[in-house]
């Protein structure tokens, strides 16, 4: 079932990395000084103090059709997706099963675990954290939305979704905590003035002052 914020008893320290997953991806962790951290999986080597970003979802797993009706209150779904992209076992854990069209549209349910498929696979089983609230029909369409904190990488594109700053150099393929709130030490382009709003910069992992208005560029911090 959907769980409240975890406040203690974390299985991995803020300054530790792990080759195995010890928390739900996206888990938020607050410290007494007001900083917040998210649990993430590094899709490449991450450098200390450099902002990371979420990687794109795969189009093969978006706007897919339900091939057989699914009853209300079901936890386990047998789904068909377009071939072309592999999905590792539990890659979708902490992500979401979303219904965006047809019967049951608007549902957004956390994924507890999933089966593995290779690039040629089309049949995947997904277990939900909470059951379906509305039944699905063959007119329903769904998307598999993995956690933004799965396979995070360094960014050099200002439109990307920022996912936090590593506290140390993180090995590719390892799990870690990324700082997402509070006083932080981050790589900055140039010498922006105190109080300046920051966006993702054109230098990989760096932040830059926002010097124009663009609706698709998120503000990620303040000097």
């Amino acid at each position: 079932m959907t769980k409240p914020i975890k406040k203690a008893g974390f299985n991995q320290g803020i300054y530790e990395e792990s080759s195995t997953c010890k928390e739900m991806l996206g888990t938020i962790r607050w410290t007494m000084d007001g900083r917040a951290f998210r649990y993430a999986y590094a899709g490449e080597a991450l450098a200390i103090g450099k902002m990371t970003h979420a990687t794109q979802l795969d189009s093969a797993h978006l706007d897919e059709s339900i091939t057989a009706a699914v009853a209300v209150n079901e936890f386990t779904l047998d789904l068909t997706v377009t071939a072309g992209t592999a999905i590792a076992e539990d890659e979708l854990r902490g992500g979401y099963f979303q219904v965006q069209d047809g019967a049951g549209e608007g549902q957004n349910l956390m994924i507890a675990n999933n089966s593995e498929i290779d690039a040629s696979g089309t049949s995947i089983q997904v277990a939900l954290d909470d059951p379906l609230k509305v039944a699905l029909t063959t007119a329903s369409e769904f998307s598999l939305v993995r956690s933004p904190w799965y396979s995070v990488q360094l960014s050099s594109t200002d439109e990307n979704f920022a996912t936090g700053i590593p506290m140390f150099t993180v090995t590719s393929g390892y799990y870690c905590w990324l700082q997402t709130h509070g006083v932080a030490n981050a790589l900055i382009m140039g010498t922006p003035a105190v109080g300046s709003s920051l966006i993702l910069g054109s230098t990989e992992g760096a932040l830059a002052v926002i010097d124009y208005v663009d609706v698709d560029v998120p503000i990620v911090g303040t000097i």
Side-chain angles (χ1 to χ4, degrees), residues 1 13 15 51 57 59-60 67 70 76 80 96 121 124-125 142 152 164 173-175 178 196 205 221:
M1 297 295 181
Y15 291 94
M51 180 62 78
L57 299 176
S59 60
T67 56
V70 185
T76 303
T80 300
Y96 302 92
I124 185 170
Q125 188 174 79
F142 70 92
V152 300
Y174 275 61
Y175 296 86
L178 302 174
S196 298

Side-chain angles (χ1 to χ4, degrees), residues 18-94:
S18 173
S19 60
T20 58
C21 187
K22 295 184 177 181
E23 302 285 352
M24 178 78 78
L25 288 178
T27 293
I28 191 167
R29 177 176 186 169
W30 291 88
T31 56
M32 292 182 65
D33 60 320
R35 290 177 297 162
F37 299 81
R38 293 277 197 160
Y39 195 65
Y41 174 73
E44 64 180 12
L46 307 178
I48 183 172
K50 291 188 175 184
M51 180 62 78
T52 62
H53 77 98
T55 50
Q56 294 293 325
L57 299 176
D58 194 280
S59 60
H61 309 144
L62 305 178
D63 302 323
E64 299 286 73
S65 296
I66 293 291
T67 56
V70 185
V72 66
N73 292 325
E74 283 290 334
F75 278 92
T76 303
L77 309 175
D78 292 304
L79 303 171
T80 300
V81 295
T82 303
T85 304
I87 302 177
E89 183 177 3
D90 288 346
E91 176 180 330
L92 302 175
R93 182 173 180 260

